[in-house]
Amino acid sequence: MKDRLLTPEFRVVVDHQRCTQCHRCITGCGWGTLSCNNGRIVADDFKCVACHYCVTHCPTGAIVVEEFPLAFKPHANWTVGLRKNAWRQAQSPGMLLTGMGNDQAYPIVFDHLVLDACQVTNPSIDPLREPMELRTYLGRKPNSLAFDSLGRLITPLEPQVKLETPIVFAAMSYGSISLNAQKALAMAAEECGILWNTGEGGLHKDLYPYGHCATVQCASGRFGVHSGYLNAAAVVEIKIGQGAKPGIGGHLPGEKVSVEVSETRMIPPGTDALSPAPHHDIYSIEDLRQLIYALKEATDYSKPVSVKIAAVHNVAAITAGMVYAGADIVYIDGFRGGTGAAPTIIRDHIGIPIELAIAAVDDRLRQEGIRSQASIIAAGSIRSSADVAKAIALGADAVAIGTGALLPLGCRVCQKCYTGNCSWGIATQRPELTRRLDPVLGAERVSNLIESWSLELKEILGALGLNAIESLRGSRERLRGVGLDNTTLEILGVKPAGR
Amino acid sequence: MVIYGLIRENRKGSLLVDTQWEECLARVDSFVRRTFPQQNHQLPLSRALYEWQEQLRQRPRSIRLDAEGVYYRILNKLVREAVNMGVGAVELVNVNGQRYIGDGLEGPVRIDIYGVPGNDLAAFMDGPHIVVHNNAQDGVGNTMNEGKVTIYGDAGDVLGYGMRGGKLHIQGDVGYRVGIHMKSYRDQVPVIIAGGRAGDFYGEYMAGGVLILLGLGKKNEQSIVGDYLGTGMHGGVIYIRGQVPQHRLGKEVGSSPLEEKDRALLIGYLTEFCADFALNLDEVLAEEFLKLVPVSHRPYGKLYSY
């Protein structure tokens, strides 16, 4: 403890009256916080990240984790967080790393949007006794349909992917999360009729049976990308950027490249997996078109190709370019989007909120007359079914959830994913930690969440007097803003409440 | 989908029945109608399609296709269907810039291309051997997994990006960004050999595999390679015939003299290369080679604060 600049964030308090010395907390903690000293459980508070694994697994409820009760001289400008960051970098030089999404107190637009409901003049619908359609198809839609004299469709349709509810799982690679965590998501996706996403870590051999409900990524590192991988999937996605770290590449450190991770990424074990910041074969929209069509050729035009970007200042123009380039799905990740590891300074200060990005992109694609040519997936902190409904009303076809999908697996949003010590067995490759995550139970819990949100979405639709999620898409008239300034309202295309 | 399943079985030895050939032709027919609805039947495409169908009905081991004026999607579809039906050799004549030839193709087939193919030749390819009897353009062997591309001429930029296995043999010069992020995996070692010169960013981010640059026919005042050679390199090896001034090297690479095993490796790779292009191996090996390897396998290991 000598001469440290930093102080603990949390304090672990053990009630020794209740403690039975079962040591479950010691083996449970991935951080090595707890140990046994002279027959008593003691804690090194510096190591605690408040992941609650010990608290939730203590059979006698003997453990409490509290905020470390230390006063800092108040300063509205030099916040405690900024001071701690400076101390940390003074002790260990380098870029600060973090995990999960932006934790800064930017205004949350979703929380300033409210939905409409029917009263008297237009009847609401009871979803308990009337059919309510959440089914969503992702892919390029024709501008018009033609039928023959017998009423059969003659317009050729581009490949479509069916979602039973307008939610998919965000891209989380094997490497950033454990195989058991990815398996839980894959099983939940199959159960719920939605998609999971491999991220750019390749598709593990055990997960090929879940390829039919997977989006596989082709990112700048091209890890694990080969024709078998591309053809196993429902959707192929070109990852350009990520909301948590727009414009920067990724480094999976060699320590995390275990034998299994190396087999899936198809690189030697123990080597750093470097994803360059750009794709070095994409320097323009024309180059993007080339990769999109190379992937379509390699998959015989049998599946939609998605392009994922981070929401940045000119997201609308870029997205229009992507659609012209042939993207069937555009995946926009807002600045609150999560990550397994990103420099804190990038995560917290780059990009724009997803709500504004959805509105801007939807507007632009409509103006250009190409909105039907691509589906929009919105991501970047979708926290509840209300966020799903609001995102769709703003113009998205579906949303992606990352953090939301990890919460059912036990995630406490401690934001230490990059360390690989996750006690819950999610963001780690340590076998003693990953084996505690039961993929079957995990899948059940994740499915429960998706089903719950779907039920809530149906209630929301019923209140709106709609019987299909299609009818809510881009229907901004059903949204009102509360406490938003005029410019924001104008960008959102939403009226203020009361008008 | 059913068709593909049956075809895979066919490769293992069982026989195809006539209806499957007919189904294959029907698939192509519907594809062509969809992608080219306003097709003018006087176009060369119709001729090519007709000839292709006639040839395929004979269940050939090899097939020849006149690509003049044939839209790339249709050309590639014809090639793909032929390969799926077990055709072992494809000859494409009058190729003029059609992109994506051989993309994602699997299996033991040789494709001879007469004319200049377009970008992304052999991208995501997994096994075939493509021979280009002319120059090639950008993006050859993008993320290729296995197979070989032999080019009797020059090739453009971004060759072998993210390539994991197989070989690119280029007789002449290559452009910028060649061999970026090449990687090896187990017994897969991707190899790019160019007989001429290369542009900037040669072997950037290289993570594995072998790059060989020969500089044959280079004039004295010309540099064999551009700037930023091997920037960010963290695996693999680059062999350059001749010398490279220090200022062209990325800061992540170091040069070292050839060891005995390097020489054995070079002889192995160059024997095949010289056979492809009728070169004299001894003359190629007569000049000194420079070996470049990464200084560190973790060039970005110390960037972060924990």
Side-chain angles (χ1 to χ4, degrees), chain B residues 199-210:
Chain B
D200 296 345
F201 303 105
Y202 188 69
E204 192 185 28
Y205 278 114
M206 191 169 167
V210 182

Side-chain angles (χ1 to χ4, degrees), chain A residues 70-143:
Chain A
L70 181 65
F72 288 84
K73 171 77 176 173
H75 199 297
N77 182 38
W78 273 103
T79 60
V80 175
L82 287 170
R83 279 178 262 178
K84 284 185 174 172
N85 286 348
W87 291 326
R88 181 165 288 120
Q89 286 178 306
Q91 279 183 185
S92 144
M95 285 188 272
L96 291 167
L97 276 181
T98 189
M100 318 299 298
N102 194 329
D103 65 353
Q104 301 297 301
Y106 291 96
I108 301 171
V109 179
F110 277 136
D111 294 345
H112 293 270
L113 288 173
V114 288
L115 287 153
D116 193 17
C118 298
Q119 297 292 297
V120 184
T121 55
N122 44 354
S124 50
I125 301 174
D126 184 354
L128 298 179
R129 60 180 177 82
E130 292 193 46
M132 202 52 84
E133 181 72 63
L134 294 183
R135 187 170 290 168
T136 300
Y137 289 90
L138 299 179
R140 180 169 293 249
K141 310 291 187 295
N143 287 328

Side-chain angles (χ1 to χ4, degrees), chain A residues 92 94-95 220-222 225 227 251 255 263 266 268 272 274 280-281 283 290 293 295 297 300-301, chain B residues 4 73 76-77 80 100 106 119-120 142-143 161 164 177 181 183 185-186 298 303-306:
Chain A
S92 144
M95 285 188 272
S220 64
R222 304 287 155 89
V225 180
S227 61
H251 303 160
E255 299 89 57
E263 281 176 5
M266 299 172 94
D272 279 6
L274 304 185
H280 282 286
D281 54 352
Y283 287 0
Q290 191 174 309
Y293 277 86
L295 288 167
E297 284 282 340
D300 204 15
Y301 297 86
Chain B
Y4 284 113
R73 279 183 70 170
N76 293 332
K77 182 75 179 173
R80 179 181 298 275
Y100 317 117
E106 297 173 24
N119 291 357
D120 269 351
N142 191 342
T143 324
Y161 179 65
R164 189 183 303 109
R177 290 181 270 147
H181 217 306
K183 44 178 84 73
Y185 173 61
R186 290 188 175 166
R298 310 276 315 263
L303 283 176
Y304 304 108
S305 167
Y306 282 90

Side-chain angles (χ1 to χ4, degrees), chain A residues 69-368:
Chain A
L70 181 65
F72 288 84
K73 171 77 176 173
H75 199 297
N77 182 38
W78 273 103
T79 60
V80 175
L82 287 170
R83 279 178 262 178
K84 284 185 174 172
N85 286 348
W87 291 326
R88 181 165 288 120
Q89 286 178 306
Q91 279 183 185
S92 144
M95 285 188 272
L96 291 167
L97 276 181
T98 189
M100 318 299 298
N102 194 329
D103 65 353
Q104 301 297 301
Y106 291 96
I108 301 171
V109 179
F110 277 136
D111 294 345
H112 293 270
L113 288 173
V114 288
L115 287 153
D116 193 17
C118 298
Q119 297 292 297
V120 184
T121 55
N122 44 354
S124 50
I125 301 174
D126 184 354
L128 298 179
R129 60 180 177 82
E130 292 193 46
M132 202 52 84
E133 181 72 63
L134 294 183
R135 187 170 290 168
T136 300
Y137 289 90
L138 299 179
R140 180 169 293 249
K141 310 291 187 295
N143 287 328
S144 61
L145 292 175
F147 300 89
D148 67 11
S149 57
L150 296 169
R152 290 174 304 199
L153 182 68
I154 51 174
T155 310
L157 290 180
E158 298 284 331
Q160 305 288 323
V161 170
K162 183 167 81 175
L163 303 178
E164 292 300 338
T165 195
I167 302 169
V168 298
F169 297 134
M172 287 174 276
S173 69
Y174 174 40
S176 75
I177 61 171
S178 65
L179 183 59
N180 276 347
Q182 214 179 43
K183 206 177 277 178
L185 295 176
M187 289 162 77
E190 186 177 56
E191 166 75 24
C192 300
I194 60 174
L195 295 171
W196 66 286
N197 191 316
T198 61
E200 69 159 320
L203 182 61
H204 190 274
K205 54 185 186 298
D206 291 356
L207 296 180
Y208 269 78
Y210 301 97
H212 68 94
C213 54
T215 297
V216 297
Q217 277 196 345
C218 175
S220 64
R222 304 287 155 89
F223 295 115
V225 180
H226 58 98
S227 61
Y229 165 83
L230 298 173
N231 282 301
V235 177
V236 177
E237 182 163 278
I238 299 170
K239 183 216 170 182
I240 303 289
Q242 180 178 346
K245 42 180 172 180
I248 74 164
H251 303 160
L252 185 71
E255 299 89 57
K256 288 194 188 176
V257 183
S258 63
V259 172
E260 292 251 317
V261 170
S262 87
E263 281 176 5
T264 308
R265 296 202 172 213
M266 299 172 94
I267 52 170
T271 55
D272 279 6
L274 304 185
S275 294
H279 289 246
H280 282 286
D281 54 352
I282 304 179
Y283 287 0
S284 66
I285 289 290
E286 291 75 11
D287 288 350
L288 175 66
R289 182 179 180 83
Q290 191 174 309
L291 185 60
I292 289 173
Y293 277 86
L295 288 167
K296 288 188 177 189
E297 284 282 340
T299 54
D300 204 15
Y301 297 86
S302 63
K303 53 198 68 178
V305 173
S306 165
V307 179
K308 176 182 176 183
I309 58 162
V312 289
H313 299 182
N314 46 355
V315 61
I318 297 165
T319 309
M322 282 153 50
V323 177
Y324 284 123
D328 304 306
I329 300 170
V330 292
Y331 179 144
I332 320 282
D333 197 10
F335 85 144
R336 288 180 189 281
T339 177
T344 312
I345 214 75
I346 304 284
R347 184 196 73 170
D348 290 353
H349 300 280
I350 295 189
I352 66 169
I354 189 60
E355 302 90 331
L356 299 164
I358 300 169
V361 166
D362 184 60
D363 275 347
R364 180 63 176 263
L365 298 187
R366 283 170 191 273
Q367 285 159 10
E368 306 242 353

Side-chain angles (χ1 to χ4, degrees), chain A residues 336-417:
Chain A
R336 288 180 189 281
T339 177
T344 312
I345 214 75
I346 304 284
R347 184 196 73 170
D348 290 353
H349 300 280
I350 295 189
I352 66 169
I354 189 60
E355 302 90 331
L356 299 164
I358 300 169
V361 166
D362 184 60
D363 275 347
R364 180 63 176 263
L365 298 187
R366 283 170 191 273
Q367 285 159 10
E368 306 242 353
I370 54 174
R371 177 64 185 85
S372 63
Q373 291 181 26
S375 300
I376 299 175
I377 296 181
S381 211
I382 303 295
R383 304 156 300 162
S384 66
S385 54
D387 287 357
V388 179
K390 291 170 189 176
I392 289 173
L394 284 171
D397 287 85
V399 300
I401 58 167
T403 303
L406 297 184
L407 291 172
L409 302 179
C411 172
R412 289 316 206 244
V413 198
C414 76
Q415 307 174 45
K416 300 281 184 191
C417 323

Side-chain angles (χ1 to χ4, degrees), chain B:
Chain B
M1 285 301 137
V2 176
I3 290 228
Y4 284 113
L6 291 169
I7 287 154
R8 265 191 221 109
E9 277 184 15
N10 176 49
R11 283 202 186 138
K12 288 178 200 151
S14 69
L15 286 172
L16 286 165
V17 290
D18 278 331
T19 50
Q20 288 158 3
W21 290 92
E22 292 305 323
E23 255 183 272
C24 163
L25 301 181
R27 277 167 60 90
V28 168
D29 193 55
S30 92
F31 181 85
V32 171
R33 281 175 207 278
R34 280 179 49 180
T35 46
F36 230 143
Q38 269 85 48
Q39 195 215 141
N40 175 349
H41 288 271
Q42 303 308 310
L43 279 177
L45 161 69
S46 290
R47 201 180 60 231
L49 204 58
Y50 176 74
E51 284 175 6
W52 181 85
Q53 287 178 339
E54 283 302 299
Q55 285 180 69
L56 212 55
R57 283 205 173 87
Q58 310 302 315
R59 304 181 183 185
R61 284 297 300 150
S62 66
I63 195 165
R64 183 187 153 96
L65 185 59
D66 186 348
E68 190 195 337
V70 180
Y71 186 47
Y72 76 86
R73 279 183 70 170
I74 303 209
L75 179 67
N76 293 332
K77 182 75 179 173
L78 299 181
V79 172
R80 179 181 298 275
E81 290 295 330
V83 172
N84 282 337
M85 295 310 279
V87 172
V90 178
E91 200 177 282
L92 303 177
V93 298
N94 294 323
V95 171
N96 190 3
Q98 281 97 341
R99 291 181 170 188
Y100 317 117
I101 297 174
D103 279 22
L105 273 193
E106 297 173 24
V109 57
R110 179 181 159 123
I111 301 174
D112 278 87
I113 296 174
Y114 295 90
V116 179
N119 291 357
D120 269 351
L121 175 77
F124 307 104
M125 193 172 81
D126 203 3
H129 181 192
I130 294 184
V131 183
V132 181
H133 299 269
N134 209 314
N135 296 328
Q137 298 192 351
D138 300 342
V140 180
N142 191 342
T143 324
M144 186 167 128
N145 197 50
E146 209 54 81
K148 182 175 174 185
V149 182
T150 314
I151 297 165
Y152 289 90
D154 298 335
D157 301 338
V158 217
L159 309 181
Y161 179 65
M163 182 173 155
R164 189 183 303 109
K167 289 180 177 156
L168 298 185
H169 283 186
I170 303 113
Q171 186 175 29
D173 296 340
V174 293
Y176 296 102
R177 290 181 270 147
V178 171
I180 293 192
H181 217 306
M182 258 169 67
K183 44 178 84 73
S184 58
Y185 173 61
R186 290 188 175 166
D187 53 348
Q188 285 181 283
V189 180
V191 182
I192 303 180
I193 310 178
R197 305 185 303 138
D200 296 345
F201 303 105
Y202 188 69
E204 192 185 28
Y205 278 114
M206 191 169 167
V210 182
L211 285 175
I212 303 175
L213 189 61
L214 299 178
L216 301 171
K218 162 179 102 63
K219 295 190 187 77
N220 271 338
E221 69 279 11
Q222 287 176 324
S223 173
I224 185 168
V225 69
D227 290 329
Y228 309 104
L229 170 59
T231 303
M233 183 175 176
H234 55 289
V237 58
I238 301 176
Y239 297 105
I240 292 179
R241 186 171 169 273
Q243 290 305 308
V244 178
Q246 189 65 33
H247 72 86
R248 294 203 187 272
L249 301 186
K251 63 182 187 301
E252 291 83 6
V253 288
S255 56
S256 67
L258 242 51
E259 292 167 33
E260 206 42 53
K261 66 175 199 293
D262 294 313
R263 220 170 157 75
L265 210 64
L266 268 178
I267 289 172
Y269 290 132
L270 289 176
T271 303
E272 186 183 336
F273 184 82
C274 289
D276 281 349
F277 301 110
L279 296 169
N280 184 324
L281 179 65
D282 293 332
E283 279 174 27
V284 172
L285 287 170
E287 197 158 333
E288 277 296 302
F289 276 80
L290 178 72
K291 178 190 179 187
L292 298 171
V293 288
V295 179
S296 157
H297 292 276
R298 310 276 315 263
Y300 305 118
K302 291 205 172 70
L303 283 176
Y304 304 108
S305 167
Y306 282 90

